[in-house]
Amino acid sequence: MLIEIKDDVIWAKHLKASPALYETVVGLAPEETISLSVDGIVGKWARMRSGADGRPTLGLKPVGAMATVWKRLQERRGEKVHLTWPDDDTDALLRLADMTFDEWYSAEDEEAFGDLRPI
């Protein structure tokens, strides 16, 4: 699906084109993570914490190296990028992103290799 880069987070309401993804995001516990591919880059996203008044905040914030990638993408606000989610067997490799160790990623690696794009 295509989403527009328009905020520091991805709001659940912008994911309604994929009902399964929308329902998954809404059903996540605060701070629970999922992997998404945005503009061809797979990264972790966490459900936002509830507001001070206790109401749920239905959005995803980028986590770890994906926060750096998303910050760079903010320079392209208003543009649309591809977003995919491993919701079926054809995207099984994306699910592996949740099974890797965060220690394997570093700011140094992101700086050195973050600009690389898949072919």
Side-chain angles (χ1 to χ4, degrees):
M1 93 171 86
L2 288 174
I3 61 163
E4 184 177 342
I5 302 170
K6 56 182 1 182
D7 208 337
D8 295 333
V9 299
I10 296 176
W11 297 104
K13 65 184 178 181
H14 298 138
L15 303 174
K16 287 189 176 181
S18 173
L21 177 56
Y22 173 81
E23 292 299 323
T24 297
V25 169
V26 170
L28 291 174
E31 300 296 321
E32 187 175 357
T33 63
I34 63 171
S35 291
L36 297 174
S37 173
V38 179
D39 201 30
I41 300 170
V42 178
K44 288 192 179 205
W45 294 78
R47 164 82 185 274
M48 296 171 66
R49 287 181 286 203
S50 298
D53 61 359
R55 289 186 293 167
T57 305
L58 300 178
L60 295 171
K61 62 182 180 181
V63 177
M66 193 64 192
T68 303
V69 171
W70 188 247
K71 186 174 182 176
R72 270 189 267 167
L73 286 173
Q74 294 301 303
E75 297 171 3
R76 297 171 41 195
R77 278 192 188 221
E79 288 184 36
K80 293 188 178 191
V81 292
H82 285 278
L83 180 139
T84 58
W85 176 61
D87 60 351
D88 61 37
D89 291 337
T90 61
D91 290 329
L93 289 177
L94 290 179
R95 281 193 286 279
L96 293 176
D98 277 335
M99 296 168 35
T100 59
F101 297 103
D102 289 335
E103 303 86 49
W104 292 357
Y105 300 101
S106 68
E108 292 83 12
D109 288 340
E110 182 59 32
E111 185 176 334
F113 305 110
D115 291 334
L116 298 177
R117 302 267 186 216
I119 299 177

